[in-house]
Amino acid sequence: MDSRLSFVLFIAMTVLLPVFPGAQQAAHGQSTSSSTSSSSARRAPKPAAARVDAGSVSNGVYRNQSFGFACKIPAGWVLRTEEMNAQEDEHAKLVGDRSTAAGKTARVLLAAFSRPPQARGEDVNASILIAAESAEAYPGLKEAAQYFEPVTAVAQAQGFEVINEPYEFVLGPKTVARSDFQKDVGTRVMWQSTLVVLVRGYAVSFTFIGGTEDEVEELVEGLSFGVEKPRPH
């Protein structure tokens, strides 16, 4: 499967860098080289049939009827979804990815943080990141577990160690692929679990980050899948 690292790398950097001040300069160089090499090597994706459903937040729960899932957001968390999409649009323009900039192939659906990403703290800035990317951007992508090829590459480049290789399990009506990562930062440990489903021609990823394994599991338990909204005829 051809790897399209640009969007996945952008997402990982946007979420992780504010948590670890001082890493931005090194990662910025990596982003430039990775984006350049991947954009020249990958095939141009076909535009998706429709824009990504943005979903909505109500009463502390993010819901996306088109993709058929809901995710609880802990009380007091801050949302930065619009800001991240604005950054991705700018990034897409820089690398010449017009379809992504138009919101047709890749979108951040939810970006929620326990504190503002720019705010420094002693503990890990727990976060939930949900994104959707057109599966057509990855020729040969047939199973959700295959999407972890670029995800794992990015995580390892950020210094994460793979704790659990991608595996599948059933969550409600969906078969979900999951992989778990860990990163030591001084006296702290960052835990990351990423879940992926393929639905309606998109790879939808759910990344949960926390300072302990239990914290991440609690966030994951807030994810649920229901009956998808029927397509209009």
Side-chain angles (χ1 to χ4, degrees), residues 4-90:
R4 182 176 181 271
L5 287 178
S6 59
F7 183 68
V8 179
L9 180 58
F10 166 80
I11 295 300
M13 287 178 60
T14 306
V15 173
L16 296 179
L17 288 182
V19 180
F20 303 113
Q24 188 165 7
Q25 183 176 358
H28 175 73
Q30 178 189 357
S31 174
T32 302
S33 60
S34 298
S35 298
T36 302
S37 60
S38 61
S39 61
S40 61
R42 69 174 184 267
R43 303 174 187 175
K46 299 178 182 179
R51 289 178 178 272
V52 177
D53 180 7
S56 61
V57 176
S58 178
N59 298 321
V61 178
Y62 170 82
R63 294 181 175 86
N64 191 302
Q65 291 185 330
S66 180
F67 290 132
F69 72 87
C71 184
K72 295 180 181 179
I73 304 171
W77 280 33
V78 295
L79 303 182
R80 290 294 184 268
T81 308
E82 293 183 3
E83 289 86 344
M84 289 190 65
N85 277 319
Q87 292 179 54
E88 164 55 15
D89 288 344
E90 185 64 27

Side-chain angles (χ1 to χ4, degrees), residues 161-182:
E161 175 187 358
V162 178
I163 301 302
N164 291 308
E165 296 286 347
Y167 63 94
E168 293 185 342
F169 66 99
V170 175
L171 182 59
K174 288 293 183 184
T175 297
V176 182
R178 172 175 175 170
S179 187
D180 304 302
F181 308 87
Q182 177 183 319

Side-chain angles (χ1 to χ4, degrees), residues 110 131 197:
L110 175 69
V197 296

Side-chain angles (χ1 to χ4, degrees), residues 145 147-167 178-184 189-194 213:
Y147 193 71
F148 280 99
E149 180 181 337
V151 170
T152 300
V154 170
Q156 291 177 330
Q158 294 289 339
F160 279 86
E161 175 187 358
V162 178
I163 301 302
N164 291 308
E165 296 286 347
Y167 63 94
R178 172 175 175 170
S179 187
D180 304 302
F181 308 87
Q182 177 183 319
K183 178 178 182 178
D184 293 328
V189 177
M190 172 181 267
W191 294 83
Q192 173 184 318
S193 291
T194 297
E213 186 175 9

